[in-house]
Protein backbone atom coordinates (compact mmCIF):
# COMPACT_ATOMS: atom_id res chain seq x y z
CA UNK A 1 0.00 0.00 0.00
CA UNK A 2 1.33 3.43 -0.90
CA UNK A 3 2.47 5.62 1.95
CA UNK A 4 1.61 8.85 0.20
CA UNK A 5 -1.51 10.07 -1.55
CA UNK A 6 -2.35 12.85 -3.93
CA UNK A 7 -5.88 14.21 -4.14
CA UNK A 8 -6.69 15.43 -7.64
CA UNK A 9 -10.01 16.96 -8.73
CA UNK A 10 -11.60 15.03 -11.56
CA UNK A 11 -11.61 18.19 -13.71
CA UNK A 12 -7.83 18.47 -13.30
CA UNK A 13 -7.46 14.79 -14.24
CA UNK A 14 -9.58 15.40 -17.30
CA UNK A 15 -7.41 18.34 -18.34
CA UNK A 16 -4.15 16.40 -17.82
CA UNK A 17 -5.46 13.62 -20.05
CA UNK A 18 -6.73 16.12 -22.64
CA UNK A 19 -3.39 17.92 -22.72
CA UNK A 20 -1.60 14.64 -23.36
CA UNK A 21 -3.97 13.87 -26.22
CA UNK A 22 -3.70 17.37 -27.69
CA UNK A 23 0.08 17.25 -27.93
CA UNK A 24 0.34 13.58 -29.00
CA UNK A 25 2.70 12.25 -30.33
CA UNK A 26 4.70 14.86 -28.47
CA UNK A 27 4.98 15.11 -24.71
CA UNK A 28 2.91 17.63 -22.81
CA UNK A 29 3.92 19.19 -19.50
CA UNK A 30 2.62 21.52 -16.86
CA UNK A 31 2.62 22.58 -13.24
CA UNK A 32 0.34 21.46 -10.43
CA UNK A 33 -0.69 24.04 -7.84
CA UNK A 34 -2.20 22.98 -4.56
CA UNK A 35 -1.76 22.55 -0.86
CA UNK A 36 0.48 20.33 1.18
CA UNK A 37 0.29 19.72 4.88
CA UNK A 38 -1.05 17.59 7.70
CA UNK A 39 -0.09 14.46 5.81
CA UNK A 40 -2.24 15.34 2.85
CA UNK A 41 -1.43 16.82 -0.52
CA UNK A 42 -4.08 18.10 -2.84
CA UNK A 43 -3.96 19.62 -6.29
CA UNK A 44 -6.22 22.60 -6.82
CA UNK A 45 -5.43 23.57 -10.39
CA UNK A 46 -3.02 22.95 -13.21
CA UNK A 47 -0.96 25.29 -15.36
CA UNK A 48 -0.27 23.90 -18.85
CA UNK A 49 3.21 24.89 -20.02
CA UNK A 50 5.20 24.69 -23.25
CA UNK A 51 7.52 21.77 -23.88
CA UNK A 52 10.81 23.38 -24.86
CA UNK A 53 12.47 20.17 -26.09
CA UNK A 54 12.06 20.90 -29.80
CA UNK A 55 14.84 18.43 -30.61
CA UNK A 56 13.09 15.38 -29.17
CA UNK A 57 9.54 16.23 -28.13
CA UNK A 58 8.25 12.66 -28.57
CA UNK A 59 10.19 11.35 -25.59
CA UNK A 60 11.47 14.40 -23.76
CA UNK A 61 10.04 17.48 -22.14
CA UNK A 62 11.56 20.50 -20.47
CA UNK A 63 10.01 23.32 -18.52
CA UNK A 64 12.43 26.23 -18.52
CA UNK A 65 13.43 27.88 -15.27
CA UNK A 66 11.56 31.06 -16.24
CA UNK A 67 8.34 29.06 -16.51
CA UNK A 68 9.09 27.42 -13.17
CA UNK A 69 9.44 30.85 -11.61
CA UNK A 70 6.19 31.92 -13.30
CA UNK A 71 4.39 28.89 -11.86
CA UNK A 72 5.83 29.63 -8.42
CA UNK A 73 4.62 33.22 -8.71
CA UNK A 74 1.14 32.09 -9.74
CA UNK A 75 1.01 29.71 -6.81
CA UNK A 76 2.12 32.42 -4.41
CA UNK A 77 -0.50 34.86 -5.72
CA UNK A 78 -3.20 32.25 -5.22
CA UNK A 79 -1.85 31.37 -1.78
CA UNK A 80 -1.10 27.89 -3.02
CA UNK A 81 2.11 25.90 -3.40
CA UNK A 82 3.76 24.48 -6.47
CA UNK A 83 3.31 20.86 -5.41
CA UNK A 84 4.30 19.04 -8.57
CA UNK A 85 4.45 18.56 -12.29
CA UNK A 86 2.75 16.49 -14.93
CA UNK A 87 3.86 15.22 -18.28
CA UNK A 88 2.85 12.59 -20.82
CA UNK A 89 4.57 9.46 -22.08
CA UNK A 90 3.38 8.99 -25.68
CA UNK A 91 3.12 5.27 -26.48
CA UNK A 92 4.98 4.43 -23.28
CA UNK A 93 3.85 3.30 -19.84
CA UNK A 94 3.01 5.82 -17.11
CA UNK A 95 6.15 4.96 -15.19
CA UNK A 96 9.19 7.14 -14.59
CA UNK A 97 12.21 6.66 -16.79
CA UNK A 98 15.81 6.89 -15.68
CA UNK A 99 15.90 10.23 -17.43
CA UNK A 100 13.00 11.33 -15.23
CA UNK A 101 14.95 10.31 -12.14
CA UNK A 102 18.08 12.13 -13.19
CA UNK A 103 16.10 15.36 -13.51
CA UNK A 104 13.94 15.20 -10.40
CA UNK A 105 13.91 16.43 -6.85
CA UNK A 106 12.23 14.80 -3.89
CA UNK A 107 9.01 16.30 -2.47
CA UNK A 108 7.45 17.23 -5.81
CA UNK A 109 4.69 14.99 -7.11
CA UNK A 110 5.42 13.85 -10.66
CA UNK A 111 2.22 12.87 -12.46
CA UNK A 112 2.58 10.89 -15.70
CA UNK A 113 -0.18 10.17 -18.20
CA UNK A 114 0.39 7.41 -20.70
CA UNK A 115 -1.03 8.26 -24.13
CA UNK A 116 -1.29 5.18 -26.33
CA UNK A 117 -1.96 5.80 -30.03
CA UNK A 118 -3.51 9.14 -29.17
CA UNK A 119 -5.72 7.85 -26.37
CA UNK A 120 -5.05 8.81 -22.76
CA UNK A 121 -4.70 5.69 -20.61
CA UNK A 122 -3.10 5.25 -17.18
CA UNK A 123 -2.33 8.22 -14.97
CA UNK A 124 0.12 7.66 -12.13
CA UNK A 125 1.98 9.86 -9.65
CA UNK A 126 5.44 9.43 -8.18
CA UNK A 127 7.78 10.99 -5.66
CA UNK A 128 11.54 10.61 -5.80
CA UNK A 129 12.94 9.10 -2.64
CA UNK A 130 15.43 11.12 -0.62
CA UNK A 131 18.40 8.99 -1.67
CA UNK A 132 17.51 9.59 -5.34
CA UNK A 133 17.72 5.82 -5.89
CA UNK A 134 14.11 5.20 -6.85
CA UNK A 135 10.60 6.55 -6.93
CA UNK A 136 7.76 5.82 -4.59
CA UNK A 137 4.39 5.62 -6.23
CA UNK A 138 1.71 7.74 -4.62
CA UNK A 139 -1.92 6.82 -4.86
CA UNK A 140 -4.07 9.28 -6.78
CA UNK A 141 -7.36 9.98 -5.07
CA UNK A 142 -9.73 11.54 -7.56
CA UNK A 143 -12.07 13.98 -5.88
CA UNK A 144 -15.16 15.68 -7.24
CA UNK A 145 -14.09 19.19 -6.25
CA UNK A 146 -10.96 20.76 -4.83
CA UNK A 147 -11.01 20.38 -1.08
CA UNK A 148 -11.18 23.67 0.78
CA UNK A 149 -12.49 25.72 -2.14
CA UNK B 1 30.13 39.07 3.18
CA UNK B 2 26.67 37.89 4.02
CA UNK B 3 24.41 36.80 1.17
CA UNK B 4 21.00 35.21 1.34
CA UNK B 5 20.31 31.90 -0.38
CA UNK B 6 16.64 31.16 -1.04
CA UNK B 7 15.94 27.45 -0.51
CA UNK B 8 13.39 26.03 -2.96
CA UNK B 9 10.40 24.37 -1.31
CA UNK B 10 11.34 20.77 -2.26
CA UNK B 11 14.74 21.12 -0.58
CA UNK B 12 13.70 22.85 2.63
CA UNK B 13 13.42 19.48 4.35
CA UNK B 14 17.21 19.27 4.06
CA UNK B 15 17.81 22.78 5.44
CA UNK B 16 15.98 22.76 8.76
CA UNK B 17 12.77 23.66 6.88
CA UNK B 18 14.09 27.17 6.40
CA UNK B 19 13.07 29.35 3.45
CA UNK B 20 16.44 31.05 3.29
CA UNK B 21 19.93 30.72 4.69
CA UNK B 22 22.49 33.46 5.17
CA UNK B 23 26.04 32.48 4.29
CA UNK B 24 29.39 34.24 4.07
CA UNK B 25 30.73 34.17 0.51
CA UNK B 26 32.42 36.21 -2.19
CA UNK B 27 31.27 34.07 -5.13
CA UNK B 28 28.35 31.82 -6.00
CA UNK B 29 30.62 28.79 -5.69
CA UNK B 30 31.59 29.82 -2.17
CA UNK B 31 27.97 30.42 -1.23
CA UNK B 32 26.85 26.99 -2.45
CA UNK B 33 29.84 25.36 -0.78
CA UNK B 34 28.98 27.07 2.51
CA UNK B 35 25.37 26.05 2.14
CA UNK B 36 26.13 22.38 1.48
CA UNK B 37 28.74 22.30 4.23
CA UNK B 38 26.12 23.50 6.69
CA UNK B 39 23.42 21.24 5.26
CA UNK B 40 25.14 18.20 3.81
CA UNK B 41 21.98 16.48 2.65
CA UNK B 42 21.41 19.27 0.12
CA UNK B 43 24.53 18.36 -1.80
CA UNK B 44 23.27 15.34 -3.72
CA UNK B 45 20.24 17.27 -4.92
CA UNK B 46 22.26 20.22 -6.20
CA UNK B 47 25.44 18.59 -7.45
CA UNK B 48 26.05 15.56 -9.63
CA UNK B 49 28.62 12.94 -8.70
CA UNK B 50 31.27 14.79 -10.71
CA UNK B 51 30.87 17.78 -8.40
CA UNK B 52 29.20 19.98 -11.01
CA UNK B 53 25.79 21.54 -10.57
CA UNK B 54 23.13 19.16 -11.84
CA UNK B 55 22.12 20.09 -15.35
CA UNK B 56 18.59 21.04 -14.32
CA UNK B 57 19.64 23.24 -11.40
CA UNK B 58 19.72 26.94 -12.22
CA UNK B 59 21.17 29.64 -10.03
CA UNK B 60 20.26 33.30 -10.05
CA UNK B 61 21.93 36.25 -8.34
CA UNK B 62 19.34 38.98 -7.87
CA UNK B 63 17.28 37.59 -10.77
CA UNK B 64 20.29 37.30 -13.11
CA UNK B 65 21.00 33.78 -14.36
CA UNK B 66 24.65 33.02 -13.53
CA UNK B 67 25.07 31.28 -16.91
CA UNK B 68 25.00 34.78 -18.40
CA UNK B 69 27.41 36.12 -15.79
CA UNK B 70 30.54 34.28 -14.68
CA UNK B 71 28.72 31.05 -13.77
CA UNK B 72 29.73 29.80 -10.32
CA UNK B 73 32.58 32.32 -10.21
CA UNK B 74 30.04 35.15 -10.29
CA UNK B 75 30.88 37.62 -7.54
CA UNK B 76 28.37 38.34 -4.82
CA UNK B 77 28.28 41.22 -2.40
CA UNK B 78 26.64 41.83 0.91
CA UNK B 79 22.88 41.90 0.61
CA UNK B 80 22.71 39.90 -2.62
CA UNK B 81 20.12 37.15 -2.93
CA UNK B 82 20.89 33.83 -4.56
CA UNK B 83 17.96 31.77 -5.86
CA UNK B 84 18.06 28.10 -6.80
CA UNK B 85 15.48 27.21 -9.44
CA UNK B 86 15.07 23.86 -11.17
CA UNK B 87 14.24 23.35 -14.81
CA UNK B 88 11.75 20.52 -14.94
CA UNK B 89 12.72 17.83 -17.40
CA UNK B 90 12.04 14.22 -18.11
CA UNK B 91 10.43 11.99 -20.62
CA UNK B 92 9.40 8.60 -21.77
CA UNK B 93 11.92 5.77 -21.68
CA UNK B 94 13.58 4.61 -24.86
CA UNK B 95 12.72 1.12 -26.07
CA UNK B 96 10.45 0.48 -23.15
CA UNK B 97 13.09 1.00 -20.45
CA UNK B 98 11.57 2.21 -17.24
CA UNK B 99 13.13 3.05 -13.93
CA UNK B 100 12.92 0.23 -11.36
CA UNK B 101 10.18 0.70 -8.80
CA UNK B 102 9.54 -1.42 -5.70
CA UNK B 103 8.54 -4.93 -6.68
CA UNK B 104 5.40 -6.44 -5.29
CA UNK B 105 6.11 -8.98 -2.60
Amino acid sequence: MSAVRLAVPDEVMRRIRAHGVDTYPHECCGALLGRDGDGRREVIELVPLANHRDDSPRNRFEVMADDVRLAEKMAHEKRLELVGWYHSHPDSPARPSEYDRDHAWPWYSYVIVSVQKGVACDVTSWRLQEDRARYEREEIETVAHPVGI
Amino acid sequence: MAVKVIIPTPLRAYADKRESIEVQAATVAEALAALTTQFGDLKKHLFAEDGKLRSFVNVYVNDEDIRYLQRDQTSVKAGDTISIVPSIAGGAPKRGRVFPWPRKR
Side-chain angles (χ1 to χ4, degrees):
Chain A
M1 183 176 175
S2 297
V4 288
R5 306 181 93 184
L6 180 69
V8 184
D10 49 14
E11 174 61 14
V12 170
M13 286 288 277
R14 186 194 67 74
R15 291 183 62 195
I16 290 172
R17 291 172 182 274
H19 196 187
V21 170
D22 284 348
T23 61
Y24 181 88
H26 295 174
E27 295 202 3
C28 72
C29 54
L32 300 171
L33 312 187
R35 298 192 179 98
D36 181 82
D38 299 327
R40 180 182 174 85
R41 174 172 293 180
E42 56 184 344
V43 175
I44 304 295
E45 62 180 85
L46 85 172
V47 181
L49 294 167
N51 179 0
H52 285 270
R53 281 298 298 266
D54 294 335
D55 59 321
S56 188
R58 288 171 182 250
N59 69 340
R60 291 288 180 263
F61 81 92
E62 182 170 7
V63 176
M64 306 301 284
D66 285 346
D67 284 343
V68 174
R69 300 179 94 191
L70 174 67
E72 287 177 339
K73 184 168 180 281
M74 291 175 70
H76 182 74
E77 289 173 352
K78 294 170 183 284
R79 297 187 177 184
L80 299 173
E81 286 188 272
L82 178 51
V83 295
W85 304 91
Y86 71 90
H87 71 283
S88 61
H89 280 183
D91 298 320
S92 288
R95 291 173 184 151
S97 63
E98 289 199 35
Y99 191 84
D100 286 328
R101 180 184 65 89
D102 285 341
H103 295 78
W105 271 346
W107 193 84
Y108 282 139
S109 293
Y110 292 94
V111 171
I112 303 173
V113 54
S114 172
V115 183
Q116 303 283 344
K117 297 180 179 175
V119 177
C121 300
D122 294 343
V123 181
T124 59
S125 185
W126 307 80
R127 290 197 208 181
L128 185 68
Q129 293 188 349
E130 292 190 0
D131 63 1
R132 306 189 61 83
R134 62 176 65 237
Y135 282 91
E136 181 178 13
R137 184 169 175 170
E138 63 181 354
E139 183 182 340
I140 294 179
E141 175 191 353
T142 304
V143 296
H145 301 286
V147 177
I149 292 290
Chain B
M1 48 206 77
V3 297
K4 184 163 78 172
V5 183
I6 306 292
I7 309 298
T9 304
L11 301 187
R12 287 176 190 164
Y14 312 106
D16 275 348
K17 299 181 180 177
R18 290 160 65 180
E19 294 184 10
S20 66
I21 306 289
E22 197 169 272
V23 296
Q24 298 290 327
T27 64
V28 168
E30 287 181 16
L32 296 179
L35 179 70
T36 53
T37 297
Q38 189 174 352
F39 300 102
D41 288 342
L42 281 174
K43 194 166 186 176
K44 62 179 175 290
H45 302 300
L46 297 179
F47 295 96
E49 289 167 4
D50 62 4
K52 294 181 180 173
L53 269 179
R54 290 189 177 276
S55 60
F56 67 94
V57 174
N58 307 278
V59 178
Y60 293 78
V61 175
N62 301 332
D63 290 334
E64 288 288 333
D65 188 335
I66 64 168
R67 285 176 300 181
Y68 302 108
L69 300 172
Q70 284 77 46
R71 296 184 178 268
D72 65 352
Q73 294 308 307
T74 299
S75 298
V76 292
K77 60 184 186 304
D80 279 351
T81 298
I82 295 175
S83 304
I84 301 166
V85 181
S87 316
I88 304 301
K94 291 181 179 175
R95 294 186 296 278
R97 291 182 63 197
V98 294
F99 191 72
W101 60 94
R103 292 180 179 171
K104 289 183 179 177
R105 301 185 183 213

